[in-house]
Amino acid sequence: MPSRAVMSVDEARAWLAEVISGAERLRLESVDDDRVVAVTGPDCLELRLDGTISGPAMFWAMDLTGFVAVTVLIGPAPAMVLAHSSISFLEPAEPGELRVTAEVIKLASRSAVVQARASDRRGTLVAASTLHFALPSRATRAALRAEQAVRAGS
């Protein structure tokens, strides 16, 4: 899907720090138009009793990285929500950093579909998910951007 990012990696980092509690737990490495790569851990990832990274921790990282991937294409949209997702846990994730790549595969006026993949510190693919985000209308997004510009100018 050939879409152009409207935010740089530095802009995305600054925005994420403003809008998400605990965003410092996710380190954005790159923004490449419709693809975002992020790394999280090791200290902020919950482990299961057997010492592997928990499923909810992996899902959190994939959901947030997918959210950022859509945001860098459309700009900040606080009303964007995860509407549906599916996740497959493929292997136990070794403790340590978790690398997530999220790619927007479909961007429509009111929805976005993202494919996310998570790899553990060994580079082993440990989870894959499809995330469907519901987007506010373009008019609502434009009004939000105008409101933010006014606040930034005051």
Side-chain angles (χ1 to χ4, degrees):
M1 187 189 94
S3 294
R4 304 293 297 166
V6 298
M7 297 172 79
S8 69
V9 70
D10 290 333
E11 291 168 328
R13 286 176 184 143
W15 165 81
L16 191 59
E18 288 178 19
V19 298
I20 302 291
S21 173
E24 69 280 354
R25 299 177 354 190
L26 187 76
R27 186 174 67 251
L28 297 180
E29 285 198 338
S30 67
V31 169
D32 183 23
D33 290 329
D34 57 356
R35 182 177 304 200
V36 170
V37 178
V39 175
T40 189
D43 298 335
C44 61
L45 293 172
E46 178 182 299
L47 300 180
R48 295 180 1 184
L49 292 177
D50 65 359
T52 59
I53 299 172
S54 74
M58 287 190 277
F59 181 77
W60 168 83
M62 296 171 85
D63 174 30
L64 189 50
T65 306
F67 181 73
V68 172
V70 175
T71 300
V72 300
L73 290 178
I74 67 170
M80 178 173 52
V81 296
L82 181 64
H84 177 76
S85 67
S86 66
I87 187 167
S88 296
F89 298 105
L90 307 170
E91 295 278 338
E94 291 292 320
E97 290 188 339
L98 188 70
R99 176 177 302 282
V100 178
T101 302
E103 181 178 359
V104 179
I105 58 170
K106 178 69 175 172
L107 181 61
S109 62
R110 296 299 303 265
S111 67
V113 179
V114 177
Q115 287 185 335
R117 300 166 64 89
S119 300
D120 67 7
R121 66 180 173 87
R122 302 169 297 176
T124 301
L125 180 64
V126 294
S129 72
T130 302
L131 307 160
H132 296 249
F133 291 93
L135 308 177
S137 70
R138 287 187 175 129
T140 300
R141 293 193 312 252
L144 288 169
R145 281 193 297 275
E147 182 180 312
Q148 290 170 345
V150 167
R151 274 188 268 154
S154 16

